[in-house]
Amino acid sequence: MRQHLAVFLIFVAGLAFAGPAGEAGRYLETDEYLNAAFPSGVPAAQVLWLKGDLRADVERLLGHRFNGLRVRYWRDGTRSAWILDEIGKELPITIGIAVSGGAIASVDILEFRESRGWEVRYPFFTDQFVNARLGPNDTLDRRIDGITGATMSVDAVTRVAQVALLLHEHVANAD
Amino acid sequence: MNTSQTPTNGKSRGRRWFRRGHRWAGLSLVVFVVYLSVSGIALNHSGDLELERRYLDWPWLLDAYGLEAPTPSASFADTGHRATLLGERLFLDGRDTGQREAALNGIAALGPLVLVAGEQSVSLFTDDGEFVEAIDLGSRLTGPIERVGRSGDRAVLQTASETLQSDADVALFEPWDRVSAAHWSVATLPDEAEIAALKSAWRGRGVTVERLLLDLHSGRIFSAAGPLLMDLVAVLLILLSVSGIILSRVRNRRK
């Protein structure tokens, strides 16, 4: 009985002192992300100035003013990659979105700075976006399941996914 | 005779001390009761009184809130533009850019764009200070940026082992070897008036009246000891209520 109690107490102490399974931090450097997004070679960076209707559309999707006048992207044929910052609760999350042929190819969290909500980095969440396209009113054509305790981070990633699809469509149509 | 008088005297002495204690506790808490009541009423009507929109910028108050502006850690000027780092906040031409940098290593005025460099990244602004883009060069550089300059309308960045030049859009940086052709920015301190203006900008509009009242009400204005003091006041108020009920019951019983 005493031995069981000791094992139980050690287990509880272990739970109490164990750090979280994941945490905020820099998960991917920009070049690592781009090498993964473009396995056959990273194209040169291009910049897109956000002006007029495009800026208005981006800000409508984000629900706030976009911080900056231009965004950087990488494009090779029908595939593009966007690295965008969006605030979850108080600090920006750096999110990489790869788009191929108008559908999301991958979503990666490059850096998460807040103490809560970092679960959005895991594939069980990011894989939900794969093959998502813009539907009516520039919303995603599928439902993204949330994560308990990470609602604001989930919303931020979802908004950035919509913006990346919109921007991809814009540069594709500009050809 | 004596034996029957002693407990009665002891009891009455105890009651006297109890009453005296109740009176002194009441008197000493008057200031706090008024203080908490007035701040509580004001907070209840914060919206009507627009307390969240009224700002106080008294220097002693801002100092009490720890809003003591740091002295500039680095400052560079180029062609009418000046970038200054106060703490981790980057100021351009006296305005807070909203960007955070651990270090400031130079500025380059490139006509319509102004480039400000930290150690691993550069921030771009328009000529009138609007933020354009932050470019993370961490994976592109072989070391931290040490010098920033310009060559014509191109930005030039130098690390310990290489020199890079931007394209005309300041979108890409490529190795460059004409180092002697660059005009390098040099660190210069702003004058006293500029520093005063920067510190004022760093402090911003100050503290809202609502924030001050909330902190007065909770005691947080008096640092860590404040909430403990307010807890003590609350406990004393509870004891005062209980002692008041006891005294009133004793008096009623006598009647």
Side-chain angles (χ1 to χ4, degrees), chain A residues 33-96:
Chain A
Y33 167 70
L34 292 172
N35 283 328
F38 297 98
S40 55
V42 180
Q46 300 179 58
V47 290
L48 175 65
W49 289 84
L50 296 185
K51 297 175 187 168
D53 289 345
L54 179 62
R55 185 174 191 88
D57 286 343
V58 166
E59 294 185 346
R60 176 173 52 80
L61 290 177
L62 292 175
H64 58 79
R65 190 178 173 277
F66 182 81
N67 184 30
L69 294 178
R70 74 184 195 190
V71 290
R72 182 165 294 260
Y73 70 101
W74 294 259
R75 188 178 171 212
D76 185 6
T78 58
R79 191 177 180 86
S80 68
W82 306 80
I83 297 177
L84 300 165
D85 279 352
E86 176 64 350
I87 290 176
K89 189 177 181 194
E90 287 173 348
L91 297 171
I93 308 168
T94 303
I95 305 161

Side-chain angles (χ1 to χ4, degrees), chain A:
Chain A
M1 182 66 188
R2 273 186 188 172
Q3 273 180 336
H4 286 132
L5 186 65
V7 169
F8 176 73
L9 287 175
I10 289 167
F11 176 72
V12 169
L15 282 181
F17 291 105
E23 55 186 17
R26 182 88 187 180
Y27 312 128
L28 268 178
E29 292 300 332
T30 304
D31 58 345
E32 288 174 319
Y33 167 70
L34 292 172
N35 283 328
F38 297 98
S40 55
V42 180
Q46 300 179 58
V47 290
L48 175 65
W49 289 84
L50 296 185
K51 297 175 187 168
D53 289 345
L54 179 62
R55 185 174 191 88
D57 286 343
V58 166
E59 294 185 346
R60 176 173 52 80
L61 290 177
L62 292 175
H64 58 79
R65 190 178 173 277
F66 182 81
N67 184 30
L69 294 178
R70 74 184 195 190
V71 290
R72 182 165 294 260
Y73 70 101
W74 294 259
R75 188 178 171 212
D76 185 6
T78 58
R79 191 177 180 86
S80 68
W82 306 80
I83 297 177
L84 300 165
D85 279 352
E86 176 64 350
I87 290 176
K89 189 177 181 194
E90 287 173 348
L91 297 171
I93 308 168
T94 303
I95 305 161
I97 310 273
V99 183
S100 184
I104 289 178
S106 66
V107 171
D108 291 277
I109 307 301
L110 275 67
E111 187 166 3
F112 193 91
R113 299 169 178 85
E114 291 184 281
S115 57
R116 289 183 183 186
W118 40 260
E119 296 88 344
V120 292
R121 67 180 284 210
Y122 290 128
F124 77 82
F125 173 71
T126 55
D127 284 354
Q128 297 180 87
F129 291 90
V130 175
N131 293 325
R133 292 174 179 271
L134 281 184
N137 299 320
D138 294 332
T139 53
L140 296 180
D141 65 354
R142 65 193 58 199
R143 180 186 151 78
I144 302 297
D145 291 335
I147 302 172
T148 306
T151 308
M152 295 176 106
S153 301
V154 166
D155 289 347
V157 178
T158 307
R159 289 194 297 271
V160 165
Q162 290 170 264
V163 168
L165 285 168
L166 180 83
L167 295 176
H168 175 91
E169 198 175 277
H170 180 85
V171 295
N173 290 342
D175 286 345

Side-chain angles (χ1 to χ4, degrees), chain B residues 103-145:
Chain B
L104 170 64
N105 290 331
I107 184 172
L110 310 164
L113 293 175
V114 179
L115 176 146
V116 179
E119 282 193 341
Q120 303 280 337
S121 64
V122 297
S123 295
L124 284 178
F125 301 89
T126 60
D127 191 41
D128 55 4
E130 194 169 359
F131 176 65
V132 174
E133 184 192 8
I135 307 170
D136 176 12
L137 295 168
S139 54
R140 172 70 189 80
L141 298 171
T142 52
I145 297 167

Side-chain angles (χ1 to χ4, degrees), chain B residues 203-217:
Chain B
R203 285 181 149 177
R205 286 184 290 182
V207 176
T208 63
V209 176
E210 186 183 49
R211 179 77 263 156
L212 176 64
L213 281 173
L214 276 168
D215 292 338
L216 280 169
H217 197 78

